[in-house]
Amino acid sequence: MPRFSRLRTDKPTNECTIDQVKSTHLQEYESKRDFKVSPEPKGDDAKGDGRIFVVQEHHARRLHYDLRLEKDGVLKSWAVPKGLPMNPGEKRLAIEVEDHPLDYGNFEGTIPSGQYGAGTVKIWDRGTYEFKVWNDDMIEFMPKGETLEGRYILARFKKAGKKQWLLFKAKS
Ligand code: MN
């Protein structure tokens, strides 16, 4: 959610860069991590040139799969405890988590114990995606990965909570 923090009267408009806008998107990501300890990307020089998606298998306190879709210069992210549905009709809970930097799409490694998300991360699938719908309540997207393909729907699951979504594969 965009938020006004302060007006910079000391800067002309043309000195405002996309990086400054981006870094506010990643504030939550940065505030949760200590980059002196964690090998995760700090993401200050990420450039987006398309629509990448990645699913990372994250052996944290509990195994889950992180689905990330590139949008507006960051990776929009959801933790999917049971993994991605592979068949039409299967529904999975997906919990919206903080935006991640684009570099995160290449990240594999071990987050040291004591750190946020401690455990190992490996790429389960990645590729590009297109979308038909993207609004506050619904995202309809078509991933092209090694494993994932077809049409997927993420629908906000308001009854379950603010950050809860349902993820399912649609009939193509
Ligand atoms: Mn995770």
Side-chain angles (χ1 to χ4, degrees), residues 2-93:
R3 204 171 318 176
F4 176 78
S5 62
R6 71 192 166 107
L7 189 64
R8 293 285 301 266
T9 51
D10 57 322
K11 289 226 173 243
T13 317
N14 60 8
E15 273 183 30
C16 178
T17 64
I18 192 73
D19 296 353
Q20 291 164 338
V21 180
K22 226 181 255 175
S23 67
T24 64
H25 281 226
L26 295 173
Q27 260 167 17
E28 187 181 349
Y29 174 85
E30 286 166 6
S31 70
K32 284 181 165 167
R33 290 165 175 85
D34 180 353
F35 298 103
K36 288 191 205 91
V37 186
S38 174
E40 292 167 290
K42 201 168 181 293
D44 22 36
D45 51 23
K47 281 186 210 76
D49 57 354
R51 297 207 163 94
I52 61 158
F53 89 85
V54 63
V55 176
Q56 280 151 323
E57 185 178 332
H58 188 178
H59 292 259
R61 201 150 41 92
R62 283 197 186 155
L63 168 68
H64 61 273
Y65 294 79
D66 290 299
L67 166 66
R68 310 188 196 282
L69 302 173
E70 178 182 356
K71 185 92 184 337
D72 302 332
V74 293
L75 295 173
K76 297 286 171 191
S77 299
W78 292 263
V80 187
K82 294 191 171 166
L84 273 82
M86 299 304 287
N87 301 304
E90 281 177 2
K91 285 194 178 78
R92 298 284 161 84
L93 190 66

